[in-house]
Amino acid sequence: MSHPAVELDGIWKRFPGVIANAGANLTVRPGTVHAVLGENGAGKTTLMNCLAGVYLPDEGAVRIDGNEMKFSSPADALAAGVGMVHQEFRLVPTFTVAENVVLGSAPRLISRTEINKSVAELAERFGFSAEPDRPIWQLSMGERQRVEILKALWRDARVLILDEPTAVLTPQEAEDLGRVLRQMVSEGRSVIFISHKLDEVTSFCDEATILRGGATVAASVDIHDVDSADLAELMVGESEKSTEANAERTTGMGDVVLSVDHVSVIDSRGLKAVDDVSIDVRAGEIVGVAGVAGNGQRQLTDAIAGLESCLSGTITLLGDDLTTAPPRARFGAGLAYVPEDRLGVGLAPKLPITENAVMRDYRQMSRGPILLWERAKEFSARLVEAFEVKVGRVEDRLASLSGGNLQRLLLGRELSSSPKVVVASQPTRGLDVHGVAAIQRLLIEQRDQGVGVLMVSEDLDELLVLSDRIVVMSEGRVAGVFDPREATRAEIGAAMAGVS
Ligand SMILES: Nc1ncnc2c1ncn2[C@@H]1O[C@H](COP(=O)(O)OP(=O)(O)OP(=O)(O)O)[C@@H](O)[C@H]1O
Ligand SMILES: [Mg+2]
């Protein structure tokens, strides 16, 4: 009998104040896509980091094709055929696709033409296209991810680990990725696939291993024997009821609290990313913004927060024209903002969790430039508890939080500032089932307290459940406004695709 491609045996990994992996096991057969599932903070990323040479486990064995390994760096692991695509990409933005793919690998080819050609051929073999000469900064998230995958394939990885690869992808891109993964395993490679989207897991994985609290609670479950509900139950230990928001509205709508009036925004390439958009949000309603990523949603929300300037049009908050006001003035006037890029503008990864938690209310927590530590610590501790953020110690760097917990902290911070208007981009992206339900409940609570919510999401189901109105954006314009109680998915989908 052949050896498993990967065998993780009793892996322990401790960090100060937290045990990330507590004797976790994982066995991956060659030629399969294996899902690793678990709630936010269950230890998935840490376990994969132990396999990919980022961490040396405190205890336990890592075996590749039956041979025990002690990787002391990611390069070590890659040399043994294990490659990992991380939750955040690690590409050089100013280099081209081909340069990024070959960067750091042993030189095999001499001329740029040769390198470009063979990178394009490699991509084609796996059924996706790549333009080797384009610089990374010009690419969408989905395209960048393909470069990361090519990077691993270029080094002939036999085991490819993808940590939440579809979190940044559109539904179409996610489907394409599924096909690429099937192609890879048909050649005898193995793929380890981490995702919170259980319908993806059931559609293109073969087996699943489920972690809870750092330990394996179900190993190598055959996907054909389970459905999404079974998997969710294994992850949380109980079944989660889905949110039913529209049925139970407790209050009516009030005055317009946020008004976007004929706003246009130019992006970094000089193109009109937002083109004459008008949206009103009333107190006590949730307005959903639907659309395929990259159709101006990010520039629109950034403009509302004052992080992008408007070429024309006005932005009014609670009746005051704040079109040219700095972000701080807008936050002071009652705006809460959860940006799409959490680490770009929302949070500072190198600062402690405490500092990140109080960043918004710094003035109340400080005397002059000096942070009042006790007050700040107390505030962070309350936030962490109320929003169920799983942390080791609040003194730790923000970067020590798991992806989903980072998000809870940001949302918690923004929502606990008693806002009048909440603008949230993809607020449930990367969260486990429990987290998604919790965040949706929070947004409904805000709505019922009379807050006006503008929520951007690529998840149409989520928008249909939560929104009082759905605005579809396509190519920077409003392509349609729908009542979620009456509109069909097909109508909204057609507007998203720009079909009128
Ligand atoms: N470098 C670190 N220092 C301190 N604690 C850490 C570190 N890395 C992870 N942890 C902690 O270990 C636990 C597991 O984190 P991990 O990132 O593995 O979770 P995850 O399952 O990937 O979650 P998510 O779905 O949210 O990405 C968390 O409580 C996290 O805060
Ligand atoms: Mg993770």
Side-chain angles (χ1 to χ4, degrees):
M1 219 194 91
S2 68
H3 290 290
V6 172
E7 221 178 334
L8 298 178
D9 191 359
I11 301 289
W12 285 81
K13 183 69 193 169
R14 301 175 185 88
F15 295 108
V18 46
I19 300 174
N21 291 149
N25 300 318
L26 172 70
T27 304
V28 179
R29 290 186 295 121
T32 60
V33 181
H34 195 111
V36 172
L37 308 176
E39 290 187 278
N40 293 130
K44 305 178 294 293
T45 299
T46 306
L47 187 65
M48 291 306 108
N49 279 332
C50 288
L51 170 59
V54 178
Y55 299 138
L56 198 60
D58 298 336
E59 281 168 58
V62 173
R63 285 186 284 271
I64 305 295
D65 295 325
N67 303 312
E68 182 154 352
M69 300 289 184
K70 290 238 184 297
F71 298 137
S72 53
S73 72
D76 247 20
L78 205 46
V82 180
M84 177 160 174
V85 177
H86 291 268
Q87 266 169 308
E88 334 67 48
F89 302 150
R90 301 174 176 189
L91 301 169
V92 187
T94 52
F95 281 19
T96 67
V97 168
E99 284 164 347
N100 269 283
V101 168
V102 303
L103 185 72
S105 65
R108 283 190 261 162
L109 301 158
I110 309 106
S111 77
R112 171 178 290 266
T113 329
E114 272 183 302
I115 293 175
N116 283 355
K117 189 161 163 274
S118 88
V119 167
E121 276 168 11
L122 182 68
E124 207 170 302
R125 207 175 104 210
F126 289 95
F128 50 97
S129 62
E131 295 170 76
D133 247 342
R134 279 181 77 189
I136 295 299
W137 63 266
Q138 286 185 354
L139 305 183
S140 73
M141 283 306 193
E143 291 168 324
R144 286 179 203 211
Q145 182 176 73
R146 268 165 255 162
V147 178
E148 289 273 12
I149 295 172
L150 279 176
K151 226 179 137 147
L153 292 172
W154 181 262
R155 289 156 183 76
D156 203 26
R158 306 292 306 155
V159 176
L160 185 69
I161 306 163
L162 297 167
D163 194 354
E164 292 194 43
T166 59
V168 296
L169 299 186
T170 62
Q172 182 56 50
E173 286 175 319
E175 230 173 81
D176 294 343
L177 176 67
R179 266 194 294 280
V180 171
L181 299 186
R182 293 312 317 175
Q183 173 66 27
M184 278 191 236
V185 298
S186 73
E187 296 184 1
R189 292 168 210 272
S190 311
V191 172
I192 300 177
F193 180 80
I194 299 179
S195 176
H196 292 290
K197 299 181 188 164
L198 299 178
D199 49 338
E200 292 173 357
V201 171
T202 48
S203 85
F204 50 73
C205 297
D206 301 296
E207 294 181 347
T209 290
I210 293 121
L211 300 182
R212 207 189 302 156
T216 303
V217 292
S220 301
V221 176
D222 188 334
I223 290 293
H224 301 104
D225 298 342
V226 289
D227 60 18
S228 301
D230 298 328
L231 292 173
E233 202 166 323
L234 283 168
M235 279 161 58
V236 298
E238 69 193 80
S239 57
E240 188 72 35
K241 283 191 285 301
S242 68
T243 315
E244 278 169 29
N246 277 325
E248 30 177 304
R249 289 195 58 93
T250 55
T251 48
M253 285 175 226
D255 298 336
V256 173
V257 284
L258 170 69
S259 173
V260 174
D261 190 21
H262 294 289
V263 163
S264 294
V265 179
I266 300 284
D267 72 9
S268 50
R269 288 171 301 177
L271 304 172
K272 245 189 200 176
V274 177
D275 190 358
D276 196 29
V277 165
S278 298
I279 299 173
D280 279 348
V281 180
R282 293 177 173 276
E285 74 165 339
I286 297 179
V287 176
V289 177
V292 176
N295 277 279
Q297 299 96 320
R298 187 170 55 74
Q299 288 84 355
L300 174 69
T301 53
D302 275 357
I304 296 171
L307 300 165
E308 287 264 12
S309 48
C310 300
L311 175 72
S312 55
T314 52
I315 290 170
T316 315
L317 205 65
L318 303 169
D320 291 329
D321 182 346
L322 294 180
T323 313
T324 56
R328 183 191 288 270
R330 303 178 196 218
F331 300 146
L335 176 71
Y337 184 41
V338 178
E340 183 182 330
D341 177 7
R342 328 273 183 222
L343 294 178
V345 283
L347 296 165
K350 289 188 182 140
L351 290 179
I353 292 165
T354 320
E355 244 110 325
N356 275 282
V358 303
M359 224 169 245
R360 232 196 118 95
D361 303 283
Y362 208 83
R363 292 240 188 90
Q364 281 102 62
M365 307 284 167
S366 57
R367 194 164 290 136
I370 298 162
L371 183 65
L372 300 172
W373 261 101
E374 285 312 312
R375 201 176 288 181
K377 261 175 82 169
E378 204 185 287
F379 177 82
S380 328
R382 249 186 295 135
L383 196 71
V384 159
E385 198 191 310
F387 292 90
E388 297 178 39
V389 188
K390 201 164 167 254
V391 298
R393 300 175 310 188
V394 289
E395 298 90 335
D396 286 346
R397 278 157 44 126
L398 181 86
S400 71
L401 288 182
S402 81
N405 281 302
L406 232 146
Q407 198 151 324
R408 281 171 200 230
L409 183 79
L410 176 60
L411 263 151
R413 183 187 78 194
E414 292 299 310
L415 297 184
S416 61
S417 67
S418 316
K420 297 280 186 293
V421 175
V422 173
V423 174
S425 260
Q426 318 282 2
T428 59
R429 176 193 277 175
L431 292 178
D432 56 41
V433 268
H434 181 68
V436 169
I439 296 300
Q440 292 182 343
R441 270 196 300 273
L442 280 171
L443 290 172
I444 291 163
E445 250 171 62
Q446 296 287 316
R447 178 198 73 185
D448 289 346
Q449 287 163 18
V451 173
V453 179
L454 185 73
M455 167 176 162
V456 177
S457 176
E458 275 159 51
D459 184 343
L460 195 49
D461 293 320
E462 168 170 273
L463 288 176
L464 284 167
V465 171
L466 289 184
S467 312
D468 296 293
R469 207 146 35 89
I470 295 179
V471 175
V472 176
M473 277 186 82
S474 172
E475 294 182 359
R477 296 178 144 265
V478 173
V481 180
F482 298 91
D483 180 340
R485 279 157 296 247
E486 285 160 16
T488 65
R489 296 178 57 89
E491 284 170 327
I492 300 177
M496 283 166 68
V499 183
S500 53

